[in-house]
PDB file of all heavy atoms in Angstrom:
ATOM      1  N   ASN A 527      50.745  96.601  -6.993  1.00  0.00           N
ATOM      2  CA  ASN A 527      49.335  96.566  -6.604  1.00  0.00           C
ATOM      3  C   ASN A 527      48.933  95.093  -6.471  1.00  0.00           C
ATOM      4  O   ASN A 527      48.820  94.384  -7.465  1.00  0.00           O
ATOM      5  CB  ASN A 527      48.482  97.264  -7.659  1.00  0.00           C
ATOM      6  CG  ASN A 527      46.991  97.236  -7.330  1.00  0.00           C
ATOM      7  OD1 ASN A 527      46.585  96.737  -6.274  1.00  0.00           O
ATOM      8  ND2 ASN A 527      46.166  97.756  -8.234  1.00  0.00           N
ATOM      9  N   THR A 528      48.734  94.613  -5.256  1.00  0.00           N
ATOM     10  CA  THR A 528      48.469  93.186  -5.019  1.00  0.00           C
ATOM     11  C   THR A 528      46.995  92.824  -5.157  1.00  0.00           C
ATOM     12  O   THR A 528      46.637  91.647  -5.044  1.00  0.00           O
ATOM     13  CB  THR A 528      48.956  92.791  -3.614  1.00  0.00           C
ATOM     14  OG1 THR A 528      48.234  93.540  -2.636  1.00  0.00           O
ATOM     15  CG2 THR A 528      50.453  93.053  -3.465  1.00  0.00           C
ATOM     16  N   SER A 529      46.143  93.825  -5.339  1.00  0.00           N
ATOM     17  CA  SER A 529      44.696  93.548  -5.400  1.00  0.00           C
ATOM     18  C   SER A 529      44.273  93.283  -6.840  1.00  0.00           C
ATOM     19  O   SER A 529      45.066  93.380  -7.775  1.00  0.00           O
ATOM     20  CB  SER A 529      43.911  94.722  -4.834  1.00  0.00           C
ATOM     21  OG  SER A 529      44.047  95.853  -5.688  1.00  0.00           O
ATOM     22  N   ASP A 530      42.959  92.951  -6.979  1.00  0.00           N
ATOM     23  CA  ASP A 530      42.409  92.695  -8.309  1.00  0.00           C
ATOM     24  C   ASP A 530      41.694  93.922  -8.860  1.00  0.00           C
ATOM     25  O   ASP A 530      40.903  93.822  -9.803  1.00  0.00           O
ATOM     26  CB  ASP A 530      41.447  91.507  -8.270  1.00  0.00           C
ATOM     27  CG  ASP A 530      40.347  91.721  -7.248  1.00  0.00           C
ATOM     28  OD1 ASP A 530      40.377  92.757  -6.532  1.00  0.00           O
ATOM     29  OD2 ASP A 530      39.457  90.865  -7.167  1.00  0.00           O
ATOM     30  N   LYS A 531      41.974  95.096  -8.271  1.00  0.00           N
ATOM     31  CA  LYS A 531      41.382  96.347  -8.746  1.00  0.00           C
ATOM     32  C   LYS A 531      42.477  97.379  -8.942  1.00  0.00           C
ATOM     33  O   LYS A 531      43.511  97.343  -8.251  1.00  0.00           O
ATOM     34  CB  LYS A 531      40.352  96.872  -7.753  1.00  0.00           C
ATOM     35  CG  LYS A 531      39.126  95.976  -7.611  1.00  0.00           C
ATOM     36  CD  LYS A 531      38.133  96.592  -6.653  1.00  0.00           C
ATOM     37  CE  LYS A 531      36.886  95.720  -6.513  1.00  0.00           C
ATOM     38  NZ  LYS A 531      35.899  96.295  -5.591  1.00  0.00           N
ATOM     39  N   ALA A 532      42.263  98.276  -9.865  1.00  0.00           N
ATOM     40  CA  ALA A 532      43.226  99.338 -10.109  1.00  0.00           C
ATOM     41  C   ALA A 532      43.191 100.350  -8.957  1.00  0.00           C
ATOM     42  O   ALA A 532      42.144 100.565  -8.330  1.00  0.00           O
ATOM     43  CB  ALA A 532      42.926 100.039 -11.432  1.00  0.00           C
ATOM     44  N   ILE A 533      44.328 100.960  -8.666  1.00  0.00           N
ATOM     45  CA  ILE A 533      44.397 102.035  -7.665  1.00  0.00           C
ATOM     46  C   ILE A 533      45.022 103.251  -8.330  1.00  0.00           C
ATOM     47  O   ILE A 533      45.755 103.155  -9.319  1.00  0.00           O
ATOM     48  CB  ILE A 533      45.206 101.611  -6.427  1.00  0.00           C
ATOM     49  CG1 ILE A 533      46.591 101.111  -6.832  1.00  0.00           C
ATOM     50  CG2 ILE A 533      44.495 100.528  -5.654  1.00  0.00           C
ATOM     51  CD1 ILE A 533      47.450 100.723  -5.651  1.00  0.00           C
ATOM     52  N   LYS A 534      44.735 104.443  -7.758  1.00  0.00           N
ATOM     53  CA  LYS A 534      45.175 105.680  -8.395  1.00  0.00           C
ATOM     54  C   LYS A 534      45.575 106.702  -7.329  1.00  0.00           C
ATOM     55  O   LYS A 534      45.425 106.474  -6.129  1.00  0.00           O
ATOM     56  CB  LYS A 534      44.040 106.233  -9.268  1.00  0.00           C
ATOM     57  CG  LYS A 534      42.762 106.532  -8.493  1.00  0.00           C
ATOM     58  CD  LYS A 534      41.664 107.035  -9.409  1.00  0.00           C
ATOM     59  CE  LYS A 534      40.396 107.343  -8.605  1.00  0.00           C
ATOM     60  NZ  LYS A 534      39.316 107.869  -9.459  1.00  0.00           N
ATOM     61  N   ASN A 535      46.083 107.846  -7.860  1.00  0.00           N
ATOM     62  CA  ASN A 535      46.487 108.971  -6.993  1.00  0.00           C
ATOM     63  C   ASN A 535      47.405 108.485  -5.851  1.00  0.00           C
ATOM     64  O   ASN A 535      47.167 108.735  -4.680  1.00  0.00           O
ATOM     65  CB  ASN A 535      45.263 109.678  -6.417  1.00  0.00           C
ATOM     66  CG  ASN A 535      44.429 110.339  -7.491  1.00  0.00           C
ATOM     67  OD1 ASN A 535      44.952 110.704  -8.548  1.00  0.00           O
ATOM     68  ND2 ASN A 535      43.130 110.475  -7.248  1.00  0.00           N
ATOM     69  N   ILE A 536      48.455 107.817  -6.264  1.00  0.00           N
ATOM     70  CA  ILE A 536      49.367 107.224  -5.282  1.00  0.00           C
ATOM     71  C   ILE A 536      50.439 108.249  -4.895  1.00  0.00           C
ATOM     72  O   ILE A 536      51.109 108.830  -5.767  1.00  0.00           O
ATOM     73  CB  ILE A 536      50.034 105.962  -5.864  1.00  0.00           C
ATOM     74  CG1 ILE A 536      48.946 104.987  -6.344  1.00  0.00           C
ATOM     75  CG2 ILE A 536      50.977 105.309  -4.856  1.00  0.00           C
ATOM     76  CD1 ILE A 536      49.418 104.036  -7.398  1.00  0.00           C
ATOM     77  N   LYS A 537      50.596 108.472  -3.612  1.00  0.00           N
ATOM     78  CA  LYS A 537      51.627 109.406  -3.108  1.00  0.00           C
ATOM     79  C   LYS A 537      52.483 108.664  -2.080  1.00  0.00           C
ATOM     80  O   LYS A 537      51.968 108.067  -1.142  1.00  0.00           O
ATOM     81  CB  LYS A 537      50.981 110.633  -2.479  1.00  0.00           C
ATOM     82  CG  LYS A 537      52.013 111.676  -2.036  1.00  0.00           C
ATOM     83  CD  LYS A 537      51.363 112.919  -1.467  1.00  0.00           C
ATOM     84  CE  LYS A 537      50.760 112.645  -0.094  1.00  0.00           C
ATOM     85  NZ  LYS A 537      50.291 113.872   0.571  1.00  0.00           N
ATOM     86  N   ILE A 538      53.796 108.729  -2.287  1.00  0.00           N
ATOM     87  CA  ILE A 538      54.748 108.076  -1.377  1.00  0.00           C
ATOM     88  C   ILE A 538      55.682 109.138  -0.805  1.00  0.00           C
ATOM     89  O   ILE A 538      56.383 109.833  -1.559  1.00  0.00           O
ATOM     90  CB  ILE A 538      55.557 106.982  -2.100  1.00  0.00           C
ATOM     91  CG1 ILE A 538      54.612 105.919  -2.677  1.00  0.00           C
ATOM     92  CG2 ILE A 538      56.579 106.336  -1.159  1.00  0.00           C
ATOM     93  CD1 ILE A 538      55.321 104.844  -3.471  1.00  0.00           C
ATOM     94  N   ALA A 539      55.673 109.287   0.511  1.00  0.00           N
ATOM     95  CA  ALA A 539      56.526 110.262   1.199  1.00  0.00           C
ATOM     96  C   ALA A 539      57.591 109.519   1.996  1.00  0.00           C
ATOM     97  O   ALA A 539      57.276 108.634   2.793  1.00  0.00           O
ATOM     98  CB  ALA A 539      55.702 111.158   2.119  1.00  0.00           C
ATOM     99  N   LEU A 540      58.851 109.878   1.769  1.00  0.00           N
ATOM    100  CA  LEU A 540      59.984 109.224   2.439  1.00  0.00           C
ATOM    101  C   LEU A 540      60.485 110.072   3.602  1.00  0.00           C
ATOM    102  O   LEU A 540      60.626 111.293   3.492  1.00  0.00           O
ATOM    103  CB  LEU A 540      61.137 108.998   1.453  1.00  0.00           C
ATOM    104  CG  LEU A 540      60.826 108.138   0.228  1.00  0.00           C
ATOM    105  CD1 LEU A 540      62.023 108.098  -0.716  1.00  0.00           C
ATOM    106  CD2 LEU A 540      60.440 106.731   0.654  1.00  0.00           C
ATOM    107  N   SER A 541      60.766 109.425   4.706  1.00  0.00           N
ATOM    108  CA  SER A 541      61.359 110.097   5.866  1.00  0.00           C
ATOM    109  C   SER A 541      62.368 109.141   6.499  1.00  0.00           C
ATOM    110  O   SER A 541      62.247 107.923   6.366  1.00  0.00           O
ATOM    111  CB  SER A 541      60.296 110.502   6.884  1.00  0.00           C
ATOM    112  OG  SER A 541      59.594 109.369   7.364  1.00  0.00           O
ATOM    113  N   SER A 542      63.360 109.697   7.193  1.00  0.00           N
ATOM    114  CA  SER A 542      64.429 108.857   7.738  1.00  0.00           C
ATOM    115  C   SER A 542      64.697 109.214   9.185  1.00  0.00           C
ATOM    116  O   SER A 542      64.199 110.210   9.717  1.00  0.00           O
ATOM    117  CB  SER A 542      65.707 109.023   6.911  1.00  0.00           C
ATOM    118  OG  SER A 542      66.154 110.365   6.950  1.00  0.00           O
ATOM    119  N   ASP A 543      65.531 108.383   9.819  1.00  0.00           N
ATOM    120  CA  ASP A 543      65.937 108.625  11.206  1.00  0.00           C
ATOM    121  C   ASP A 543      66.726 109.924  11.312  1.00  0.00           C
ATOM    122  O   ASP A 543      67.236 110.461  10.323  1.00  0.00           O
ATOM    123  CB  ASP A 543      66.808 107.480  11.706  1.00  0.00           C
ATOM    124  CG  ASP A 543      66.043 106.175  11.808  1.00  0.00           C
ATOM    125  OD1 ASP A 543      64.791 106.219  11.872  1.00  0.00           O
ATOM    126  OD2 ASP A 543      66.698 105.127  11.825  1.00  0.00           O
ATOM    127  N   ALA A 544      66.849 110.401  12.544  1.00  0.00           N
ATOM    128  CA  ALA A 544      67.712 111.552  12.800  1.00  0.00           C
ATOM    129  C   ALA A 544      69.166 111.143  12.584  1.00  0.00           C
ATOM    130  O   ALA A 544      69.570 110.029  12.913  1.00  0.00           O
ATOM    131  CB  ALA A 544      67.517 112.059  14.222  1.00  0.00           C
TER     132      ALA A 544
END
Side-chain angles (χ1 to χ4, degrees):
N527 179 3
T528 62
S529 68
D530 56 356
K531 294 182 179 180
I533 54 178
K534 59 182 181 179
N535 295 333
I536 305 156
K537 184 177 72 172
I538 301 177
L540 301 175
S541 60
S542 61
D543 294 340

